[in-house]
Structures are given as structure tokens and as C-alpha cells.
Amino acid sequence: MNKTELIKSIATGANVPQAVAGKVLTALQESIENALMHGEKVSVRGFGSFTISEHSARRFHHPATGEKLMAAAFRTVRFTPSTQIKSSLN
């Protein structure tokens, strides 16, 4: 399912125009992004939680040249689905 299909599904399920559903989805995305940028955890009961995962810098070697390099530290978003979603898949 892509974003357009998700907007159509939200519009149908909530009985609202697609333009409104699109704005709601965009606002949700921006709110989650803003909270994560400020280091907050976002939890939606029955859906799941979004957290920031920190990865430290590490050393590695280039397999072709054998040169030792340094990979920079980075942050990434981690999503953990709720137990309700997990159980519905199995």
C-alpha cells in the first residue's frame, strides 16, 4: 500500500474527503517526526511505538583494499508494533 492508497483507505473508513484524509496523514507524519527530532518516544496504543535508535561510530575494513576506515555514528527510527498487531498477523 502506498501513500495514495492509504489516504483513500482513511477517507473511506472515516467517511471524509480524500483532501482532509491527506492533510491528517501529513499532520500525523510531521508530528511524529517533530517528536522524534526532539528525542521523544511516540506511542500509539493499539498501533505501536516509534523510538530513536543510536548507533555509535565503528571501525571496519574495506574488503577489496584492506584499508581501515571509520563509519560515522548515526541515529535511526525504530518502530515496534503493538501486541495487538503482532497477534493479528499470526
Side-chain angles (χ1 to χ4, degrees):
M1 176 181 284
N2 61 27
K3 187 174 182 177
T4 304
E5 294 168 343
L6 181 59
I7 290 171
K8 286 180 184 178
S9 178
I10 292 170
T12 303
N15 198 23
V16 296
Q18 286 186 19
V20 172
K23 288 179 183 178
V24 169
L25 183 60
T26 301
L28 175 66
Q29 180 182 355
E30 289 171 355
S31 296
I32 291 172
E33 183 179 346
N34 190 33
L36 291 172
M37 284 192 310
H38 288 92
E40 299 174 29
K41 178 180 177 179
V42 178
S43 296
V44 180
R45 178 173 258 163
F47 182 68
S49 61
F50 296 89
T51 57
I52 293 291
S53 179
E54 305 266 348
H55 297 274
S56 59
R58 64 179 183 88
R59 293 190 129 167
F60 70 98
H61 73 278
H62 191 282
T65 63
E67 179 183 7
K68 292 185 180 183
L69 302 170
M70 206 52 187
F74 65 96
R75 296 171 16 164
T76 188
V77 176
R78 184 163 291 185
F79 175 73
T80 306
S82 69
T83 53
Q84 180 181 352
I85 290 178
K86 287 180 187 177
S87 64
S88 68
L89 294 176
N90 294 320

